[in-house]
Amino acid sequence: MTTSTALLIADLTGVAVFAASGASAAVAKRLDLFGVAFVGFVAALGGGIFRDLAIGEAPPLAFADWRYVAAAGLCAAAVFWLHPQLARLRTTVLVLDAAGLALFTVAGTLKALDAQVPAVGACLIGMLTAIGGGLARDLLTGEIPVVLRREIYAVAALLGSIGVAVLDAIDHADAVGLTAVAVGVFALRLVSLRRRWSAPVATMPPPGTGTPGPGTARDAAAHGCAPVNGGNAGDPPAFLPRVSG
């Protein structure tokens, strides 16, 4: 199997699973057939369109090759009609999304490397290819994008992109090595969900426990407000309107 054939298969498989993921999320939001198909299309092809534009391939394959649109449309329609048979829809969405993340990570990075993009740039393109579809899906369905939450998502894609770049550098970017990277990304995503692994977040003090700064009372007076309890030290930063007259 040639590299171009392997890339096409990985690309179309990623399109199919991301289309199913997007369509499942749209069905869960009770969108109509057109809405389900549109969300599935954007989720499946958004990352690939970004990748092709980034490496200077115009028009993007999503517009130049009918097989991409057909794969996305057929998978989205299948999910729309068969969703009553899909048990635990949310679990299905997460598993399909993890599979799409893994496949697009490998395919996007490898295609960027084949386009002579340096390794660092290829890793970033691979990561953005993988997370672009899920980002668009979540925005269209009114969810906080997974990539912005405390979850191992973009990190898994970035690690997978680095793995592909390393295999390419040592001339081991064959079917076995790339499959191993894809399985690793898929497993890392699912295990992180199962064990609730997350990236660090900033620690914020509980509401009402902060101590007003030295300018609090002065700033309140300047805005026509009076501090509660006279603004004594240690009071919470709550203000009441000043009553004149």
Side-chain angles (χ1 to χ4, degrees):
M1 182 184 297
T2 63
T3 302
S4 60
T5 303
L7 272 174
L8 178 62
I9 293 174
D11 240 5
L12 289 177
T13 307
V15 165
V17 295
F18 256 137
S21 169
S24 298
V27 167
K29 293 291 185 177
R30 303 190 62 81
L31 302 186
D32 62 11
L33 177 58
F34 178 79
V36 170
F38 182 75
V39 174
F41 178 87
V42 172
L45 301 175
I49 291 172
F50 165 81
R51 175 200 64 203
D52 292 343
L53 293 176
I55 65 177
E57 183 172 328
L61 278 174
F63 304 138
D65 192 333
W66 65 270
R67 290 172 290 188
Y68 285 80
V69 176
L74 288 174
C75 286
V79 170
F80 179 83
W81 293 113
L82 299 176
H83 73 87
Q85 287 74 40
L86 296 177
R88 301 180 63 186
L89 198 58
R90 177 168 173 77
T91 300
T92 302
V93 172
L94 291 175
V95 172
L96 290 173
D97 185 69
L101 183 77
L103 289 166
F104 270 22
T105 295
V106 173
T109 308
L110 196 58
K111 189 165 185 178
L113 291 169
D114 286 346
Q116 306 304 314
V117 177
V120 174
C123 289
L124 293 176
I125 290 174
M127 179 189 70
L128 292 172
T129 301
I131 68 176
L135 178 66
R137 177 203 63 215
D138 291 342
L139 291 174
L140 287 173
T141 56
E143 297 287 341
I144 298 176
V146 174
V147 69
L148 301 181
R149 301 182 206 160
R150 298 190 304 166
E151 295 183 9
I152 304 300
Y153 190 79
V155 172
L158 182 59
L159 291 176
S161 297
I162 293 172
V164 173
V166 169
L167 289 177
D168 183 74
I170 62 177
D171 295 325
H172 279 77
D174 52 16
V176 175
L178 296 176
T179 301
V181 171
V183 171
V185 174
F186 178 73
L188 176 58
R189 172 64 181 149
L190 291 185
V191 171
S192 68
L193 284 172
R194 178 73 176 177
R195 297 184 175 273
R196 300 183 183 276
W197 292 345
S198 63
V201 296
T203 302
M204 301 297 291
T209 59
T211 302
T216 301
R218 182 176 62 253
D219 294 341
H223 288 84
C225 297
V228 177
N229 298 329
N232 297 323
D235 288 338
F239 297 93
L240 294 176
R242 185 188 300 276
V243 180
S244 59

